[in-house]
Structures are given as C-alpha cells and as structure tokens.
Amino acid sequence: QVQLVESGGGLVQAGGSLRLSCVASGSIRSFNVMGWYRQAPGKQRDMVATITSGGSTNYADSVKGRFTIARDNAKNTVYLQMNSLKPEDTAVYYCNLGQTWNNYWGKGTLVTVSS
C-alpha cells in the first residue's frame, strides 16, 4: 500500500503563487509516475501535470508556462509550483502515484483563487 499526503493549498489572489507538496510513503517502487490532478465543483477530475521517476514531465495545456512539477525521489515527494494563478484554477488538487498495476490517490488539498 501507498499513502499520499498533500499540503500547501489555500486562498490566493489572482496572479499569485502557491506551492503544493505531496509526500508518499509505503511500498514505493523505483519506477513510478507521480502527478497532480484537480477537480472543480461539478466537473470531472483532470490531469494537471505528471512526472516520472526519471524526470519526464507532462502538463495540461491550460497550465503550461505557469505551473512546474518537480520531485525529490530521495524524499518520495512531488511538488507543484503554481504561478500566475487564475480564478479558473480553483479546485481540489489531488496527488497521484501510479506504479505497476496500481494507482493511489491523496485526499486532496483545496486551492481557491479569488478575482
């Protein structure tokens, strides 16, 4: 089993920045993909950014150039630096870890961007 704990959410004004962190613990394999997904009220959960244990990244078009995903494999931690935040970025942000045939989720952290 793998446990994921997110932190760093909060309320920020449009144009501001936040950094999310997610610490993974448990049975973590050397190769995995960690990422951030978000779900706004009444909408589906969408991918924001992912990063492999080798450092390859993928971003949703809506956040390219504004968000940066990074990870520290020694600490089993993934980060999401969010700059130039917009009200439409308001959502619950979930950390995800995928390895072998399993997919794990954190409980989420709320990000609210005021206009």
Side-chain angles (χ1 to χ4, degrees):
Q1 279 291 349
V2 172
Q3 295 77 42
L4 302 171
V5 179
E6 303 104 332
S7 62
L11 174 65
V12 64
Q13 288 189 330
S17 298
L18 281 176
R19 189 174 88 148
L20 306 183
S21 300
C22 172
V23 180
S25 61
S27 302
I28 300 167
R29 302 182 71 88
S30 56
F31 179 78
N32 57 66
V33 181
M34 297 188 75
W36 292 94
Y37 291 70
R38 67 186 181 188
Q39 187 167 19
K43 295 189 176 182
Q44 67 180 20
R45 189 175 298 186
D46 292 325
M47 186 274 291
V48 176
T50 63
I51 184 168
T52 70
S53 46
S56 296
T57 59
N58 186 38
Y59 293 92
D61 288 342
S62 59
V63 306
K64 284 180 181 177
R66 300 188 299 122
F67 292 9
T68 302
I69 190 169
R71 64 186 290 169
D72 184 334
N73 289 334
K75 296 181 179 180
N76 291 321
T77 301
V78 64
Y79 307 96
L80 186 68
Q81 178 65 44
M82 304 186 293
N83 299 329
S84 302
L85 282 161
K86 304 175 181 179
E88 51 264 42
D89 294 317
T90 295
V92 177
Y93 284 70
Y94 295 92
C95 180
N96 175 270
L97 186 150
Q99 60 184 21
T100 55
W101 308 111
N102 298 310
N103 212 20
Y104 301 94
W105 293 94
K107 293 183 178 180
T109 185
L110 177 63
V111 172
T112 303
V113 184
S114 62
S115 56

